[in-house]
């Protein structure tokens, strides 16, 4: 009779290599996510022109449709990841949104005498895009929870979002090189070709992920990984619905997403209209991506900042709270300063610093979901991200509505139709509309900072005997 085989234990070097492979895949996934999102904001002008619209703000429902679908399908996708595993869910998610990215490049295309869809088609496609991409970050959270030690959660989450921000910041420059062309060279691609290329990149990633991403281990750094919920245990909906900490996380995340969404939607258009930065301007492309470039640094520093504050305060969760309150209060001050900025340099520096303060807290936000949810980490993170995405939807709709309203009011004062406004008049009215939205960003930062005072995931939603309920380790 032979003894039962015991699972092989990875050596420290093997574990380190596996952890790096995990981080490599989820970070590149985050990059592709932001690449595909940012390319749509860069293409708002060309798409509006192709569809016969007078201003990119008229695409507000295409922007909003993505956010609504993302919010609607986030929790189901997170729950499926908790039940069936993050790996198969992430493969489905990437294949779906890559197809939608490629199809976006076909909207409005004239083939013979037929036109392949208009604004309505684009709205439907963006809705499907959001539905397909929903659950990406909650399932990344579950993948990290199952494969990395708890002491590295904030840093890992920070690296994930740093990678996305870098990709989003690079996209305006990449777009300028691929689609804008130069004085001496024609563009390499049309805006349609760029969408097809970015869709193909996602498919290639999904194939590599299928064969290269490590499976879920039984233990991580001495911690037994929570089993996925059985088909009978279900999701602890009552615990989720009655958790004060989760509600505070959700409201906070809605507000910071609302304040941040401008950077990945209307910012390129606003900078072009107010400061005269052309679509093919290389320096202008860097300015347009500045909130994402600088925000990436915030993502990178968020984990070490929590570690340093934890050593100072003696508790990791108090450290997250201190960081959240102080960083977002500073962000409110930055947007207040941006309201009076006189030139593109000061404006972009202040908005980039505001983005930095949000991104400095992202690792703490998502690690708090891991602490709170544990075996239901993806579902818990999905709840936070669902409500947060409503902030994106609100920002896309409200900002577009304010700009349209400002243009309409200017046209009414001159007794002409909005389409009949001179370009200079329309530009002045649009800028005034954008700036009326900036005041609301200041308020969003202040309230979000206050929410951190209520966030304390010291006990999980569902007690688990396999893990201690003691405070998280300092280091």
């Amino acid at each position: 009779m032979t003894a039962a085989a015991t699972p092989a234990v990875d050596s420290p070097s093997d574990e380190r290599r596996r952890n790096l492979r995990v981080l490599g895949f989820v970070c590149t996934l985050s990059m592709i996510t932001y690449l595909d999102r940012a390319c749509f904001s860069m293409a708002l002008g060309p798409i509006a022109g192709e569809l016969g619209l007078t201003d990119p703000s008229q695409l507000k429902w295409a922007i909003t449709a993505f956010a609504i679908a993302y919010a609607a399908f986030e929790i189901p996708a997170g729950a499926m990841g908790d039940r069936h595993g993050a790996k198969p869910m992430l493969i489905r998610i990437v294949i779906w949104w890559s197809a939608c990215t490629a199809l976006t490049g076909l909207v409005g295309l004239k083939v013979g005498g037929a036109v392949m869809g208009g604004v309505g088609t684009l709205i439907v496609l963006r809705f499907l895009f959001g539905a397909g991409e929903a659950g990406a970050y909650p399932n990344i959270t579950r993948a990290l929870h199952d494969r990395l030690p708890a002491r590295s959660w904030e840093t890992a989450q920070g690296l994930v979002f740093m990678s996305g921000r870098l990709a989003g910041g690079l996209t305006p420059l990449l777009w300028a090189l691929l689609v804008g062309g130069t004085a001496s060279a024609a563009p390499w691609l049309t805006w349609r070709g760029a969408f097809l290329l970015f869709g193909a990149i996602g498919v290639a990633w999904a194939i590599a992920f299928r064969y290269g991403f490590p499976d879920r281990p039984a233990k991580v750094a001495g911690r037994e990984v929570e089993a996925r919920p059985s088909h009978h245990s279900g999701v602890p909906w009552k615990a989720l619905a009655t958790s004060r900490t989760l509600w505070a996380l959700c409201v906070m995340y809605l507000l910071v997403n609302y304040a941040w969404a401008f950077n990945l939607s209307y910012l390129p258009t606003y900078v072009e209209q107010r400061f005269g930065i052309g679509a093919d301007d290389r320096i202008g492309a860097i300015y347009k991506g500045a909130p994402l470039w600088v925000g990436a640094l915030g993502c990178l520093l968020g984990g070490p900042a929590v570690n340093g504050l934890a050593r100072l305060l003696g508790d990791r969760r108090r450290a997250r709270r201190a960081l959240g309150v102080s960083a977002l209060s500073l962000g409110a001050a930055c947007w207040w300063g941006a309201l009076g900025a006189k030139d593109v340099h000061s404006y972009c520096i202040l908005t980039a610093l505001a983005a930095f303060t949000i991104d400095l807290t992202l690792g703490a936000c998502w690690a708090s979901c891991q602490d709170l949810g544990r075996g239901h980490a993806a579902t818990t993170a999905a709840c936070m991200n669902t409500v947060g995405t409503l902030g994106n939807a609100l920002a896309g709709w409200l900002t577009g509505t304010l700009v349209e309203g400002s243009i309409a009011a200017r046209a009414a004062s001159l007794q002409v139709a909005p389409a009949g406004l001179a370009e200079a008049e329309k530009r002045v009215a649009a800028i005034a509309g954008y700036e009326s939205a900036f005041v609301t960003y200041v308020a969003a930062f202040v309230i979000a900072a206050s929410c951190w005072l209520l966030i304390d995931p010291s006990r999980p939603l569902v007690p688990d005997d396999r893990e201690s309920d003691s405070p998280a380790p300092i280091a």
Side-chain angles (χ1 to χ4, degrees), residues 205-378:
W205 181 93
I207 294 171
F209 180 79
R210 166 64 179 83
Y211 295 102
F213 192 71
D215 293 327
R216 175 178 171 274
K219 287 190 176 184
V220 175
R223 169 178 63 90
E224 184 179 353
V225 177
E226 299 91 334
R228 291 192 289 270
S230 71
H231 291 284
H232 302 289
S233 65
V235 176
W237 295 116
K238 183 177 180 181
L240 288 165
T242 57
S243 170
R244 186 191 74 171
T245 288
L246 182 56
W247 275 106
L249 278 167
C250 288
V251 173
M252 177 274 301
Y253 211 59
L254 181 149
L255 292 166
V256 296
N257 272 273
Y258 170 76
W260 190 89
F262 178 78
N263 301 322
L264 206 60
S265 54
Y266 296 108
L267 176 64
T269 301
Y270 175 77
V271 170
E272 289 174 13
Q273 290 182 334
R274 180 177 175 188
F275 301 109
I277 303 295
D280 58 348
D281 190 305
R282 303 294 186 269
I283 301 300
I286 294 173
Y287 275 132
K288 293 170 189 175
L292 289 96
W293 290 101
V294 179
L297 181 62
C299 294
L300 180 64
L301 296 178
V306 170
N307 289 338
L309 286 170
R311 285 190 290 270
L312 180 66
L313 300 175
D315 181 86
R316 196 169 199 84
R317 296 180 182 103
R318 287 176 59 201
R320 294 175 191 162
R321 182 183 301 161
L323 180 65
V325 172
S326 57
L328 297 181
S329 298
L330 177 60
C334 290
W335 260 114
W336 184 258
L339 277 167
K342 301 300 183 184
D343 55 65
V344 68
H345 312 293
S346 56
Y347 173 80
C348 287
I349 288 171
L350 287 167
T351 53
L353 287 175
F356 172 87
T357 64
I358 290 176
D359 290 343
L360 195 65
T361 68
L362 286 184
C365 295
W366 289 79
S368 294
C369 290
Q370 290 174 250
D371 264 341
L372 190 64
R374 300 195 181 179
H376 300 276

Side-chain angles (χ1 to χ4, degrees), residues 24 35 48 97 103-104 136 142 205 261 278 366 377 384 391 404 412 455:
L35 177 71
W97 98 51
L103 289 172
T104 301
R142 184 62 202 251
W205 181 93
W366 289 79
M384 181 186 77
E404 279 190 307
I455 296 172

